[in-house]
Amino acid sequence: MEISKPHAALLSGPGMGHLIPVLELGKRLVNLHNFSVTIFIASYTSASKSQVLRSTMNPQLCDIIELPPVDISGRLHHDAKIFTKISVMMRETKPLLRSAISAMKQPPTVLIVDLFSTEALEIAEELGIPKYVFMATNAWFLSLTIYVPTLDKVVKGEYVDQTEPFQIPGCKSLKPEEVVDPMLDRSNQQYSEYLRIGMEFPKGDGILVNTWEDLQPTTLAALRDEMLLGGFANNLPIYPIGPLTRPVGSSISKDQQLFTWLAKQPSESVIFASFGSGGTLSYEQTTEVAWGLELSKQRFIWIVRAPTVTNRDSAFFTSGNSGDDPSNYLPEGFIGRTHEVGMIVPLWAPQVDILSHSSVGGFLTHCGWNSILESITNGVPMIAWPLYAEQKMNATLLTEELGVAVRPDTLPSKKVVEREEIAKMVRMIMIDEQGFGIRAKVKELKQSAEKALSDAGSSHHALSKLAESCCCVNQGA
Ligand code: UDP
């Protein structure tokens, strides 16, 4: 490691949705701005995670340090939600990060932490180095996160029981039924964790966000406007550096059968259905999705997981159970009837490679932000099927603001979406005339994303500004 190079330490929370953009951020700092980068990862067991780690860092551009697993079992209530579990895990990981950093021969000159790790900003404080928070999702969710301490003061009772939408400066108003999971119950620990995170964001020297200027111009402008966010931003720089997505071809274990089949299908004729790294459906909903795909008479690839009774994010820490045989839970005869037009893949598949394939023409997605970005950057229109976290907001952003998706009439987390509606949505984005505008709009956004990342583009410029400010502080220190 050259002494003169700036050295960024990046801390990622667990979960593919956090890890993937952090790895891409690290690579860009190395490739485009001549940084040395060390990525710290809170450890947990997942085959898909280690596959991403191995495949993404080839060649090995960044040092990757997996912090030892922490035992949080004794620190959680029996009903602790995923948001709480991750927050507590990251809190317990902080001393490990501190020791790992102090053991480094070449200490970092800047610390960048993700949403769940704002408490680790104090380590940068102790070291006297600049510190930033990285929001792996979009500017609307960022605005809500920093505005939630204000909402907490003015809203009485549960957010979900309010009759009027919430007004957040520069943003589309937020309907009570769209609030993020940690806001569903104000007495639950996940709400206090979320509130704390919102209050800790301003402790950084700036915020990086995985979006780009032309995608969310009004929200980004409001985030920068001290008057609009009640003085919160305090001139805190906002760096929209996205879209940060995994490059095509970065998966090591490509399913040959799948890609051989895909290559034989006509252009934009296949709908891809997948619910992220953690999404699961009920048995009833799984049945309706199967029938919906079949009735749509479109070709499909479907990443399936065994149905669960309650949680919509129950595979988040495990990516599912590899012992599950899809024929045990899919409708009788479905696999046989559809085997020429459809591919069923249990648990996990290389999503970016599928979405970038010319035979794919639509994406039924749980609306995780990475999935959305991967769809947009490949010009693929979507069916928005939000399940957990901030996905209901993302679905609204896609359908009502960006115009690149359709969605079911009711929230899939509230009511089973029936086969006829699913088939109609599939046909709408794939072939129906009414879907023409959606298909055209997503291709426009694809170009807008490419422009933002180009040498003269806004996201490239934002990352350069960040790199400059890290170097200035280092030289001045
Ligand atoms: N992913 C994948 N194969 C799968 C499921 C997910 O490669 O079968 C990747 C997907 O491409 C995305 C990430 O895992 O990059 C999921 O992140 P997202 O933000 O979409 O959702 P999350 O899983 O965090 O809810």
Side-chain angles (χ1 to χ4, degrees), residues 16-17 20 246 276-278 303 347-349 351 366 368-371 374 388 391:
M16 300 300 281
I20 287 171
R246 274 173 93 188
S277 54
I303 312 295
L347 304 175
W348 188 264
Q351 180 167 302
H366 77 312
W369 189 244
N370 291 284
S371 295
E374 290 160 8
Y388 53 90
Q391 293 158 9

Side-chain angles (χ1 to χ4, degrees), residues 389-405:
E390 88 296 0
Q391 293 158 9
K392 286 171 275 182
M393 294 175 73
N394 296 348
T396 301
L397 181 71
L398 289 180
T399 50
E400 296 178 24
E401 209 165 313
L402 303 176
V404 293

Side-chain angles (χ1 to χ4, degrees), residues 348-460:
W348 188 264
Q351 180 167 302
V352 177
D353 298 301
I354 294 172
L355 284 171
S356 63
H357 199 285
S358 58
S359 301
V360 172
F363 184 19
L364 194 169
T365 171
H366 77 312
C367 297
W369 189 244
N370 291 284
S371 295
I372 288 172
L373 293 180
E374 290 160 8
S375 208
I376 290 178
T377 50
N378 286 296
V380 177
M382 286 160 270
I383 296 173
W385 191 287
L387 292 177
Y388 53 90
E390 88 296 0
Q391 293 158 9
K392 286 171 275 182
M393 294 175 73
N394 296 348
T396 301
L397 181 71
L398 289 180
T399 50
E400 296 178 24
E401 209 165 313
L402 303 176
V404 293
V406 289
R407 66 187 297 179
D409 283 341
T410 41
L411 279 169
S413 48
K414 289 233 151 62
K415 188 172 162 284
V416 172
V417 184
E418 293 184 358
R419 60 192 73 179
E420 292 78 13
E421 189 178 6
I422 296 169
K424 192 170 157 214
M425 291 189 296
V426 171
R427 295 180 66 82
M428 168 88 114
I429 59 158
M430 298 295 289
I431 50 169
D432 282 355
E433 217 177 299
Q434 298 115 291
F436 179 82
I438 291 177
R439 293 192 285 276
K441 188 71 215 253
V442 75
K443 299 228 158 42
E444 271 174 37
L445 286 190
K446 173 186 178 186
Q447 287 181 357
S448 154
E450 282 165 5
K451 189 172 151 217
L453 292 176
S454 68
D455 285 355
S458 61
S459 295
H460 184 85

Side-chain angles (χ1 to χ4, degrees), residues 125-378:
E125 200 75 49
E126 291 157 15
L127 295 169
I129 59 173
K131 53 203 179 303
Y132 298 87
V133 184
F134 172 48
M135 180 57 109
T137 71
N138 65 77
W140 190 18
F141 178 50
L142 169 61
S143 296
L144 174 64
T145 305
I146 60 180
Y147 203 62
V148 81
T150 307
L151 289 177
D152 184 63
K153 289 193 195 107
V154 296
V155 176
K156 301 284 168 246
E158 290 297 343
Y159 294 106
V160 282
D161 296 336
Q162 305 300 310
T163 48
E164 293 297 319
F166 308 106
Q167 306 300 334
I168 304 164
C171 299
K172 197 175 166 38
S173 57
L174 178 71
K175 297 181 205 99
E177 66 269 24
E178 283 170 350
V179 296
V180 296
D181 283 1
M183 292 171 75
L184 292 175
D185 172 2
R186 289 173 82 160
S187 64
N188 193 288
Q189 187 181 346
Q190 64 172 345
Y191 178 65
S192 42
E193 297 286 359
Y194 186 52
L195 202 57
R196 171 188 56 75
I197 288 170
M199 291 189 283
E200 283 173 353
F201 258 72
K203 293 186 179 168
D205 296 310
I207 300 172
L208 288 64
V209 52
N210 196 4
T211 189
W212 63 101
E213 294 286 351
D214 287 348
L215 193 75
Q216 300 187 277
T218 319
T219 305
L220 288 167
L223 274 164
R224 292 178 175 123
D225 187 330
E226 226 179 303
M227 302 303 288
L228 281 181
L229 273 169
F232 152 78
N234 199 18
N235 289 330
L236 205 60
I238 307 286
Y239 301 96
I241 53 167
L244 294 167
T245 53
R246 274 173 93 188
V248 175
S250 57
S251 299
I252 44 172
S253 71
K254 272 206 183 175
D255 177 340
Q256 275 315 325
Q257 201 197 348
L258 178 75
F259 285 91
T260 307
W261 178 83
L262 208 42
K264 290 189 196 138
Q265 310 309 313
S267 173
E268 298 190 356
S269 69
V270 177
I271 173 132
F272 174 54
S274 176
F275 299 93
S277 54
T280 50
L281 305 178
S282 66
Y283 178 78
E284 215 183 342
Q285 188 62 81
T286 305
T287 304
E288 292 306 302
V289 171
W291 276 108
L293 289 171
E294 191 174 345
L295 291 174
S296 76
K297 299 206 181 329
Q298 300 302 299
R299 296 170 174 83
F300 65 85
I301 296 173
W302 180 14
I303 312 295
V304 288
R305 295 203 176 101
T308 49
V309 185
T310 48
N311 296 342
R312 297 156 287 130
D313 51 10
S314 54
F316 194 83
F317 277 94
T318 60
S319 295
N321 179 351
S322 56
D324 300 325
D325 176 354
S327 61
N328 290 339
Y329 54 82
L330 293 176
E332 210 179 325
F334 171 76
I335 296 179
R337 287 194 304 276
T338 58
H339 80 278
E340 281 185 6
V341 292
M343 290 289 270
I344 298 291
V345 184
L347 304 175
W348 188 264
Q351 180 167 302
V352 177
D353 298 301
I354 294 172
L355 284 171
S356 63
H357 199 285
S358 58
S359 301
V360 172
F363 184 19
L364 194 169
T365 171
H366 77 312
C367 297
W369 189 244
N370 291 284
S371 295
I372 288 172
L373 293 180
E374 290 160 8
S375 208
I376 290 178
T377 50
N378 286 296

